[in-house]
Amino acid sequence: MTEELNDSATNIYETIGAVQAPSNNFYLIETTLLGKGDTAQDITKPYRVTFKGMLTSDKCSSERKD
Amino acid sequence: MINVQVKERTDQQLHQGDIYRDIEYIEYADIINGQVNISKLHYQYVVLLSQECDLTQDWSERRKKCEFGSSEDENGDKQITNLNYDKILQSIIVAPMFNYEHFKLGSHFSNLGFDMSKSYEQFINPKRTPRKVLEANNNPRFHYFEFDQTVPIVPSVVDFKHFFTISINWLYENKNEHYVCSLDELYRERLSQRFSNFLSRIGLPNEM
């Protein structure tokens, strides 16, 4: 019998679906809905949304609002 | 249990006891070496818990800023006024409202990987005391809401261990899109008092 930690012990979040990734000139964004155990997301319960993206252009600016 | 009375406010101010839908809590938002990382939690309904007097003073100063902040004299120069904005708020406290059916099963955080079913089984049986105590709002940690049929919200529970803040500027800009209704004053005051009582409780060490 092996005593290895499985994924559920090291990461309680499980990716169960993804939505289409929006993008524009500056950002490429990947969106995932995360949950555990469910095969379908019940959006009446709290749920987590994560965005991960890379800057895809050198034209990046910030504007300060005073 | 008497149903909670609500009303629809038509003014633009935020009020304690307002209920909003589709509110998100930003866990983090950062850019590291060009990579953008954002994580947020979505809540279907939240109730606003910040003090009504703080919200009113904040609103009053925002109105002052609108009225005097951009006033100009006859030459078109901006007038210097000695306004201060000491009572402007940055953020407001809200608490999620959980669907009571999910709550009784302990599954209201299941999307986030937290199963609470064992500790919440006591609330399933309608004849058992813990459930009656919760629905009568005598359990200090929870606040139970049951609405009239005219209100599009199912019976819900606020857990005073779960609350967060959101940007007041953001909510003012997006209020109309998210506003649902407001608790009537009596019910709002009860919620506010029970929340503050729970937060100010004195915790004693657990028995060894």
Side-chain angles (χ1 to χ4, degrees):
Chain A
M1 182 177 168
T2 59
E3 296 209 358
E4 293 179 358
L5 292 177
N6 60 27
D7 287 346
S8 64
T10 54
N11 184 0
I12 63 170
Y13 302 121
E14 181 183 348
T15 301
I16 62 168
V19 296
Q20 191 172 1
S23 63
N24 61 25
N25 290 336
F26 303 113
Y27 298 101
L28 176 64
I29 298 175
E30 176 192 352
T31 307
T32 55
L33 299 176
L34 305 176
K36 182 187 178 188
D38 297 330
T39 53
Q41 192 94 13
D42 182 349
I43 61 168
T44 64
K45 297 177 185 178
Y47 62 88
R48 175 179 280 107
V49 180
T50 61
F51 297 87
K52 287 183 182 177
M54 291 296 294
L55 296 173
T56 56
S57 167
D58 293 334
K59 295 177 184 175
C60 182
S61 66
S62 64
E63 186 178 336
R64 179 176 169 172
K65 281 183 172 179
D66 289 319
Chain B
M1 173 72 191
I2 298 172
N3 288 352
V4 174
Q5 300 299 307
V6 301
K7 57 185 174 186
E8 189 169 344
R9 291 184 186 272
T10 53
D11 64 338
Q12 286 303 303
Q13 186 192 324
L14 304 178
H15 293 275
Q16 186 182 42
D18 284 356
I19 295 174
Y20 295 93
R21 71 161 71 86
D22 296 323
I23 297 297
E24 291 176 332
Y25 167 67
I26 306 294
E27 290 187 297
Y28 57 82
D30 53 33
I31 303 176
I32 301 173
N33 297 329
Q35 178 166 316
V36 183
N37 297 303
I38 302 171
S39 180
K40 52 189 184 178
L41 300 181
H42 175 279
Y43 291 94
Q44 189 181 28
Y45 292 109
V46 301
V47 58
L48 208 170
L49 293 173
S50 291
Q51 277 290 2
E52 176 67 14
C53 56
D54 288 339
L55 294 166
T56 302
Q57 289 175 337
D58 170 88
W59 174 250
S60 168
E61 296 207 342
R62 282 171 196 273
R63 294 294 308 150
K64 233 168 29 179
K65 190 170 189 293
C66 288
E67 288 170 19
F68 301 112
S70 60
S71 62
E72 297 176 347
D73 60 20
E74 60 274 11
N75 298 323
D77 296 327
K78 280 199 171 181
Q79 288 185 325
I80 298 172
T81 49
N82 288 327
L83 294 176
N84 71 58
Y85 302 109
D86 178 57
K87 297 180 178 64
I88 291 273
L89 300 176
Q90 304 294 326
S91 57
I92 48 179
I93 305 170
V94 297
M97 297 169 66
F98 302 107
N99 181 319
Y100 190 41
E101 294 304 314
H102 297 156
F103 174 86
K104 283 186 293 188
L105 297 171
S107 68
H108 48 299
F109 273 123
S110 67
N111 284 340
L112 304 182
F114 305 130
D115 185 5
M116 301 174 171
S117 59
K118 285 182 181 170
S119 58
Y120 286 71
E121 279 171 359
Q122 58 182 329
F123 300 121
I124 293 176
N125 188 337
K127 293 180 182 173
R128 291 190 60 181
T129 302
R131 176 162 165 174
K132 291 178 183 170
V133 168
L134 183 140
E135 292 181 1
N137 279 331
N138 286 323
N139 183 323
R141 178 177 164 182
F142 304 109
H143 197 89
Y144 176 76
F145 297 98
E146 199 168 315
F147 300 93
D148 285 337
Q149 288 186 338
T150 54
V151 181
I153 304 176
V154 296
S156 303
V157 173
V158 165
D159 180 347
F160 291 138
K161 281 182 186 268
H162 294 280
F163 57 89
F164 58 95
T165 63
I166 56 175
S167 160
I168 190 170
N169 292 332
W170 178 87
L171 193 54
Y172 265 122
E173 287 169 10
N174 298 279
K175 179 175 184 283
N176 294 339
E177 194 180 325
H178 296 270
Y179 178 75
V180 179
C181 60
S182 302
L183 302 179
D184 223 22
E185 277 80 1
L186 200 57
Y187 300 88
R188 176 189 83 190
E189 293 303 320
R190 187 170 194 212
L191 171 68
S192 174
Q193 187 184 53
R194 295 192 72 238
F195 177 60
S196 57
N197 286 347
F198 184 76
L199 278 194
S200 59
R201 74 195 187 281
I202 298 171
L204 300 177
N206 290 328
E207 287 182 26
M208 297 300 286

CSV table of all heavy atoms in Angstrom, one decimal, chain A residues 12-13 27 34-36 38 41-42 44-55, chain B residues 27 34-44 98 102 107-108 110-114:
chain,number,residue,atom,x,y,z
A,12,ILE,N,-7.3,21.7,-2.7
A,12,ILE,CA,-8.7,21.5,-2.4
A,12,ILE,C,-9.6,22.0,-3.6
A,12,ILE,O,-10.8,21.7,-3.7
A,12,ILE,CB,-9.2,22.1,-1.1
A,12,ILE,CG1,-9.0,23.7,-1.1
A,12,ILE,CG2,-8.5,21.5,0.1
A,12,ILE,CD1,-9.7,24.3,0.0
A,13,TYR,N,-9.0,22.8,-4.4
A,13,TYR,CA,-9.8,23.3,-5.6
A,13,TYR,C,-9.6,22.5,-6.8
A,13,TYR,O,-8.5,22.0,-7.1
A,13,TYR,CB,-9.4,24.8,-5.9
A,13,TYR,CG,-9.5,25.7,-4.7
A,13,TYR,CD1,-8.5,26.4,-4.1
A,13,TYR,CD2,-10.8,25.8,-4.1
A,13,TYR,CE1,-8.7,27.2,-3.0
A,13,TYR,CE2,-11.0,26.6,-3.0
A,13,TYR,CZ,-9.9,27.3,-2.4
A,13,TYR,OH,-10.1,28.1,-1.4
A,27,TYR,N,-4.2,42.3,-23.3
A,27,TYR,CA,-4.3,41.1,-22.4
A,27,TYR,C,-4.9,39.9,-23.0
A,27,TYR,O,-5.8,40.0,-23.9
A,27,TYR,CB,-5.2,41.5,-21.2
A,27,TYR,CG,-4.7,42.6,-20.3
A,27,TYR,CD1,-5.3,43.9,-20.5
A,27,TYR,CD2,-3.7,42.4,-19.4
A,27,TYR,CE1,-4.8,44.9,-19.7
A,27,TYR,CE2,-3.2,43.5,-18.7
A,27,TYR,CZ,-3.8,44.7,-18.8
A,27,TYR,OH,-3.4,45.8,-18.1
A,34,LEU,N,-13.9,27.3,-10.5
A,34,LEU,CA,-13.2,26.3,-9.7
A,34,LEU,C,-14.2,25.8,-8.6
A,34,LEU,O,-15.0,26.5,-8.1
A,34,LEU,CB,-12.1,27.0,-8.9
A,34,LEU,CG,-11.0,27.6,-9.8
A,34,LEU,CD1,-9.9,28.3,-8.9
A,34,LEU,CD2,-10.4,26.6,-10.7
A,35,GLY,N,-14.2,24.5,-8.4
A,35,GLY,CA,-15.0,23.9,-7.4
A,35,GLY,C,-14.5,22.5,-7.1
A,35,GLY,O,-13.6,22.1,-7.7
A,36,LYS,N,-15.2,21.9,-6.2
A,36,LYS,CA,-14.7,20.5,-5.8
A,36,LYS,C,-15.9,19.6,-5.7
A,36,LYS,O,-16.9,19.9,-5.1
A,36,LYS,CB,-14.1,20.6,-4.4
A,36,LYS,CG,-13.5,19.2,-3.9
A,36,LYS,CD,-13.1,19.3,-2.5
A,36,LYS,CE,-12.6,18.0,-2.0
A,36,LYS,NZ,-12.3,18.0,-0.6
A,38,ASP,N,-18.4,18.7,-7.5
A,38,ASP,CA,-19.6,18.9,-8.3
A,38,ASP,C,-19.3,18.7,-9.8
A,38,ASP,O,-18.2,19.1,-10.3
A,38,ASP,CB,-20.1,20.3,-8.1
A,38,ASP,CG,-20.6,20.6,-6.7
A,38,ASP,OD1,-21.0,19.6,-6.1
A,38,ASP,OD2,-20.5,21.7,-6.2
A,41,GLN,N,-21.7,23.5,-11.8
A,41,GLN,CA,-21.5,24.6,-10.9
A,41,GLN,C,-22.9,25.2,-10.5
A,41,GLN,O,-23.7,25.6,-11.4
A,41,GLN,CB,-20.7,25.7,-11.6
A,41,GLN,CG,-20.2,26.8,-10.6
A,41,GLN,CD,-18.8,26.5,-10.1
A,41,GLN,OE1,-18.2,25.6,-10.6
A,41,GLN,NE2,-18.4,27.2,-9.1
A,42,ASP,N,-23.2,25.3,-9.2
A,42,ASP,CA,-24.4,26.0,-8.8
A,42,ASP,C,-24.1,27.4,-8.5
A,42,ASP,O,-23.4,27.7,-7.5
A,42,ASP,CB,-25.0,25.3,-7.5
A,42,ASP,CG,-26.3,25.9,-7.1
A,42,ASP,OD1,-26.6,27.0,-7.6
A,42,ASP,OD2,-26.9,25.3,-6.2
A,44,THR,N,-25.8,29.8,-7.6
A,44,THR,CA,-26.5,30.5,-6.5
A,44,THR,C,-25.6,30.4,-5.2
A,44,THR,O,-25.9,31.0,-4.2
A,44,THR,CB,-27.9,30.0,-6.2
A,44,THR,OG1,-27.8,28.6,-5.8
A,44,THR,CG2,-28.7,30.1,-7.5
A,45,LYS,N,-24.6,29.5,-5.2
A,45,LYS,CA,-23.7,29.4,-4.1
A,45,LYS,C,-22.5,30.3,-4.4
A,45,LYS,O,-22.2,30.5,-5.6
A,45,LYS,CB,-23.2,28.0,-3.9
A,45,LYS,CG,-24.3,27.0,-3.5
A,45,LYS,CD,-23.7,25.6,-3.4
A,45,LYS,CE,-24.8,24.5,-3.1
A,45,LYS,NZ,-24.2,23.2,-3.1
A,46,PRO,N,-21.8,30.7,-3.4
A,46,PRO,CA,-20.5,31.5,-3.7
A,46,PRO,C,-19.6,30.6,-4.6
A,46,PRO,O,-19.5,29.4,-4.4
A,46,PRO,CB,-19.9,31.7,-2.3
A,46,PRO,CG,-21.0,31.6,-1.4
A,46,PRO,CD,-22.0,30.6,-2.0
A,47,TYR,N,-19.0,31.2,-5.6
A,47,TYR,CA,-18.0,30.5,-6.4
A,47,TYR,C,-16.8,31.5,-6.7
A,47,TYR,O,-16.9,32.7,-6.6
A,47,TYR,CB,-18.6,30.0,-7.6
A,47,TYR,CG,-19.2,31.0,-8.6
A,47,TYR,CD1,-18.4,31.6,-9.6
A,47,TYR,CD2,-20.5,31.4,-8.5
A,47,TYR,CE1,-18.9,32.5,-10.5
A,47,TYR,CE2,-21.1,32.3,-9.4
A,47,TYR,CZ,-20.3,32.9,-10.4
A,47,TYR,OH,-20.8,33.8,-11.2
A,48,ARG,N,-15.7,30.8,-7.1
A,48,ARG,CA,-14.5,31.6,-7.3
A,48,ARG,C,-14.2,31.7,-8.8
A,48,ARG,O,-14.4,30.7,-9.6
A,48,ARG,CB,-13.3,30.9,-6.7
A,48,ARG,CG,-12.0,31.5,-7.0
A,48,ARG,CD,-10.8,30.8,-6.3
A,48,ARG,NE,-10.7,31.2,-4.9
A,48,ARG,CZ,-11.0,30.5,-3.8
A,48,ARG,NH1,-11.5,29.3,-4.0
A,48,ARG,NH2,-10.9,30.9,-2.6
A,49,VAL,N,-13.8,32.8,-9.3
A,49,VAL,CA,-13.4,33.0,-10.6
A,49,VAL,C,-12.0,33.5,-10.6
A,49,VAL,O,-11.7,34.5,-9.9
A,49,VAL,CB,-14.3,34.1,-11.3
A,49,VAL,CG1,-13.9,34.3,-12.8
A,49,VAL,CG2,-15.8,33.6,-11.3
A,50,THR,N,-11.1,32.9,-11.4
A,50,THR,CA,-9.8,33.4,-11.5
A,50,THR,C,-9.4,33.9,-12.9
A,50,THR,O,-10.0,33.3,-13.9
A,50,THR,CB,-8.7,32.3,-11.1
A,50,THR,OG1,-8.9,31.2,-12.0
A,50,THR,CG2,-9.0,31.9,-9.6
A,51,PHE,N,-8.6,34.8,-13.0
A,51,PHE,CA,-8.2,35.3,-14.3
A,51,PHE,C,-6.6,35.2,-14.3
A,51,PHE,O,-6.0,35.6,-13.4
A,51,PHE,CB,-8.5,36.8,-14.6
A,51,PHE,CG,-10.0,37.0,-14.6
A,51,PHE,CD1,-10.7,37.3,-13.5
A,51,PHE,CD2,-10.7,37.1,-15.8
A,51,PHE,CE1,-12.1,37.5,-13.5
A,51,PHE,CE2,-12.0,37.3,-15.9
A,51,PHE,CZ,-12.7,37.5,-14.7
A,52,LYS,N,-6.1,34.6,-15.4
A,52,LYS,CA,-4.6,34.6,-15.5
A,52,LYS,C,-4.3,35.1,-16.9
A,52,LYS,O,-5.0,34.7,-17.9
A,52,LYS,CB,-4.1,33.2,-15.3
A,52,LYS,CG,-4.1,32.8,-13.9
A,52,LYS,CD,-3.4,31.4,-13.8
A,52,LYS,CE,-3.5,31.0,-12.3
A,52,LYS,NZ,-2.9,29.6,-12.2
A,53,GLY,N,-3.5,36.0,-17.1
A,53,GLY,CA,-3.2,36.5,-18.4
A,53,GLY,C,-1.8,37.1,-18.5
A,53,GLY,O,-1.1,37.4,-17.5
A,54,MET,N,-1.3,37.2,-19.7
A,54,MET,CA,0.0,37.8,-19.9
A,54,MET,C,-0.1,39.1,-20.7
A,54,MET,O,-1.0,39.2,-21.6
A,54,MET,CB,0.9,36.9,-20.8
A,54,MET,CG,1.4,35.6,-20.0
A,54,MET,SD,2.4,36.0,-18.6
A,54,MET,CE,3.9,36.7,-19.4
A,55,LEU,N,0.7,40.1,-20.4
A,55,LEU,CA,0.7,41.3,-21.2
A,55,LEU,C,1.2,40.9,-22.6
A,55,LEU,O,2.3,40.3,-22.7
A,55,LEU,CB,1.6,42.4,-20.6
A,55,LEU,CG,1.2,42.9,-19.2
A,55,LEU,CD1,2.2,43.8,-18.6
A,55,LEU,CD2,-0.1,43.7,-19.4
B,27,GLU,N,-10.1,38.6,-4.1
B,27,GLU,CA,-9.1,38.0,-3.2
B,27,GLU,C,-7.8,38.6,-3.4
B,27,GLU,O,-7.0,38.9,-2.5
B,27,GLU,CB,-9.1,36.5,-3.4
B,27,GLU,CG,-10.4,35.8,-2.9
B,27,GLU,CD,-10.3,34.3,-3.0
B,27,GLU,OE1,-10.1,33.8,-4.2
B,27,GLU,OE2,-10.3,33.6,-2.0
B,34,GLY,N,4.8,40.8,-15.7
B,34,GLY,CA,3.9,40.8,-16.9
B,34,GLY,C,2.7,39.9,-16.9
B,34,GLY,O,1.9,39.9,-17.7
B,35,GLN,N,2.7,39.0,-15.8
B,35,GLN,CA,1.5,38.1,-15.7
B,35,GLN,C,0.5,38.7,-14.8
B,35,GLN,O,0.8,39.1,-13.7
B,35,GLN,CB,1.9,36.7,-15.2
B,35,GLN,CG,0.7,35.8,-15.1
B,35,GLN,CD,1.1,34.4,-14.9
B,35,GLN,OE1,2.0,33.9,-15.6
B,35,GLN,NE2,0.5,33.7,-14.0
B,36,VAL,N,-0.8,38.8,-15.3
B,36,VAL,CA,-1.9,39.3,-14.5
B,36,VAL,C,-2.6,38.2,-13.8
B,36,VAL,O,-3.0,37.2,-14.4
B,36,VAL,CB,-2.9,40.0,-15.5
B,36,VAL,CG1,-4.0,40.7,-14.7
B,36,VAL,CG2,-2.2,41.1,-16.3
B,37,ASN,N,-2.7,38.3,-12.5
B,37,ASN,CA,-3.4,37.3,-11.7
B,37,ASN,C,-4.6,37.9,-10.9
B,37,ASN,O,-4.3,38.9,-10.2
B,37,ASN,CB,-2.5,36.6,-10.8
B,37,ASN,CG,-1.4,35.8,-11.5
B,37,ASN,OD1,-1.7,35.0,-12.3
B,37,ASN,ND2,-0.2,36.2,-11.2
B,38,ILE,N,-5.8,37.5,-11.2
B,38,ILE,CA,-6.9,38.0,-10.4
B,38,ILE,C,-7.7,36.9,-9.9
B,38,ILE,O,-8.0,35.9,-10.6
B,38,ILE,CB,-7.8,38.9,-11.3
B,38,ILE,CG1,-7.0,40.1,-11.9
B,38,ILE,CG2,-9.0,39.5,-10.5
B,38,ILE,CD1,-7.7,40.9,-12.9
B,39,SER,N,-8.2,36.9,-8.7
B,39,SER,CA,-9.1,35.9,-8.1
B,39,SER,C,-10.2,36.6,-7.4
B,39,SER,O,-9.9,37.5,-6.6
B,39,SER,CB,-8.3,35.0,-7.2
B,39,SER,OG,-9.2,34.0,-6.7
B,40,LYS,N,-11.4,36.2,-7.6
B,40,LYS,CA,-12.5,36.9,-6.9
B,40,LYS,C,-13.6,35.8,-6.6
B,40,LYS,O,-13.7,34.8,-7.3
B,40,LYS,CB,-13.1,38.0,-7.8
B,40,LYS,CG,-13.4,37.6,-9.2
B,40,LYS,CD,-13.8,38.9,-10.0
B,40,LYS,CE,-14.3,38.5,-11.4
B,40,LYS,NZ,-14.6,39.7,-12.1
B,41,LEU,N,-14.3,36.1,-5.5
B,41,LEU,CA,-15.4,35.3,-5.1
B,41,LEU,C,-16.7,36.0,-5.5
B,41,LEU,O,-16.9,37.2,-5.2
B,41,LEU,CB,-15.4,35.0,-3.6
B,41,LEU,CG,-14.1,34.3,-3.1
B,41,LEU,CD1,-14.2,34.1,-1.6
B,41,LEU,CD2,-13.9,32.9,-3.8
B,42,HIS,N,-17.6,35.2,-6.0
B,42,HIS,CA,-18.9,35.8,-6.4
B,42,HIS,C,-20.0,35.4,-5.4
B,42,HIS,O,-20.1,34.2,-5.1
B,42,HIS,CB,-19.3,35.3,-7.8
B,42,HIS,CG,-20.6,35.7,-8.3
B,42,HIS,ND1,-21.8,35.1,-7.9
B,42,HIS,CD2,-21.1,36.8,-9.0
B,42,HIS,CE1,-22.8,35.7,-8.4
B,42,HIS,NE2,-22.4,36.7,-9.1
B,43,TYR,N,-20.7,36.4,-4.9
B,43,TYR,CA,-21.8,36.1,-4.0
B,43,TYR,C,-23.2,36.5,-4.7
B,43,TYR,O,-23.2,37.6,-5.2
B,43,TYR,CB,-21.6,36.8,-2.7
B,43,TYR,CG,-20.5,36.3,-1.9
B,43,TYR,CD1,-19.2,36.8,-2.0
B,43,TYR,CD2,-20.7,35.2,-1.0
B,43,TYR,CE1,-18.2,36.3,-1.2
B,43,TYR,CE2,-19.6,34.7,-0.3
B,43,TYR,CZ,-18.4,35.3,-0.4
B,43,TYR,OH,-17.3,34.8,0.3
B,44,GLN,N,-24.2,35.7,-4.6
B,44,GLN,CA,-25.4,36.0,-5.2
B,44,GLN,C,-26.1,37.2,-4.5
B,44,GLN,O,-26.6,38.1,-5.2
B,44,GLN,CB,-26.4,34.8,-5.2
B,44,GLN,CG,-27.6,35.1,-6.1
B,44,GLN,CD,-28.5,33.9,-6.1
B,44,GLN,OE1,-28.6,33.1,-5.2
B,44,GLN,NE2,-29.3,33.8,-7.2
B,98,PHE,N,-26.8,33.4,2.5
B,98,PHE,CA,-26.7,32.1,2.0
B,98,PHE,C,-28.2,31.5,1.9
B,98,PHE,O,-29.0,31.7,2.8
B,98,PHE,CB,-25.9,31.2,2.9
B,98,PHE,CG,-24.5,31.7,3.0
B,98,PHE,CD1,-24.1,32.2,4.2
B,98,PHE,CD2,-23.6,31.6,2.0
B,98,PHE,CE1,-22.8,32.6,4.4
B,98,PHE,CE2,-22.3,32.0,2.2
B,98,PHE,CZ,-21.9,32.6,3.4
B,102,HIS,N,-29.3,25.4,1.1
B,102,HIS,CA,-27.9,25.0,1.0
B,102,HIS,C,-27.3,25.0,2.4
B,102,HIS,O,-26.5,24.1,2.7
B,102,HIS,CB,-27.2,26.0,0.1
B,102,HIS,CG,-27.6,26.0,-1.3
B,102,HIS,ND1,-27.5,27.1,-2.1
B,102,HIS,CD2,-28.3,25.1,-2.0
B,102,HIS,CE1,-28.0,26.9,-3.3
B,102,HIS,NE2,-28.5,25.7,-3.3
B,107,SER,N,-23.8,22.8,2.6
B,107,SER,CA,-23.2,22.8,1.3
B,107,SER,C,-23.0,24.2,0.7
B,107,SER,O,-22.7,24.3,-0.5
B,107,SER,CB,-24.0,21.9,0.3
B,107,SER,OG,-25.2,22.5,0.0
B,108,HIS,N,-23.3,25.2,1.5
B,108,HIS,CA,-23.3,26.6,0.9
B,108,HIS,C,-21.9,27.0,0.4
B,108,HIS,O,-21.8,28.0,-0.3
B,108,HIS,CB,-23.9,27.6,1.8
B,108,HIS,CG,-23.4,27.5,3.2
B,108,HIS,ND1,-23.6,26.4,4.0
B,108,HIS,CD2,-22.8,28.5,4.0
B,108,HIS,CE1,-23.0,26.7,5.2
B,108,HIS,NE2,-22.6,27.9,5.2
B,110,SER,N,-19.8,24.7,-0.9
B,110,SER,CA,-19.2,23.5,-1.6
B,110,SER,C,-18.4,23.9,-2.9
B,110,SER,O,-17.5,23.2,-3.3
B,110,SER,CB,-20.3,22.6,-2.0
B,110,SER,OG,-21.2,23.1,-2.9
B,111,ASN,N,-18.8,25.0,-3.5
B,111,ASN,CA,-18.1,25.4,-4.7
B,111,ASN,C,-16.6,25.8,-4.4
B,111,ASN,O,-15.8,25.9,-5.3
B,111,ASN,CB,-18.8,26.6,-5.4
B,111,ASN,CG,-20.0,26.2,-6.2
B,111,ASN,OD1,-20.2,25.1,-6.5
B,111,ASN,ND2,-20.9,27.2,-6.4
B,112,LEU,N,-16.4,26.2,-3.1
B,112,LEU,CA,-15.0,26.6,-2.7
B,112,LEU,C,-14.3,25.4,-2.1
B,112,LEU,O,-13.2,25.6,-1.6
B,112,LEU,CB,-15.1,27.8,-1.8
B,112,LEU,CG,-15.8,29.0,-2.3
B,112,LEU,CD1,-15.8,30.1,-1.3
B,112,LEU,CD2,-15.2,29.4,-3.6
B,113,GLY,N,-14.9,24.3,-2.0
B,113,GLY,CA,-14.3,23.1,-1.4
B,113,GLY,C,-14.5,22.9,0.0
B,113,GLY,O,-13.8,22.1,0.6
B,114,PHE,N,-15.4,23.7,0.7
B,114,PHE,CA,-15.6,23.5,2.1
B,114,PHE,C,-16.9,22.8,2.4
B,114,PHE,O,-18.0,23.4,2.1
B,114,PHE,CB,-15.6,24.9,2.8
B,114,PHE,CG,-14.3,25.7,2.5
B,114,PHE,CD1,-14.4,27.0,2.1
B,114,PHE,CD2,-13.1,25.1,2.7
B,114,PHE,CE1,-13.3,27.7,1.8
B,114,PHE,CE2,-11.9,25.9,2.4
B,114,PHE,CZ,-12.1,27.2,1.9
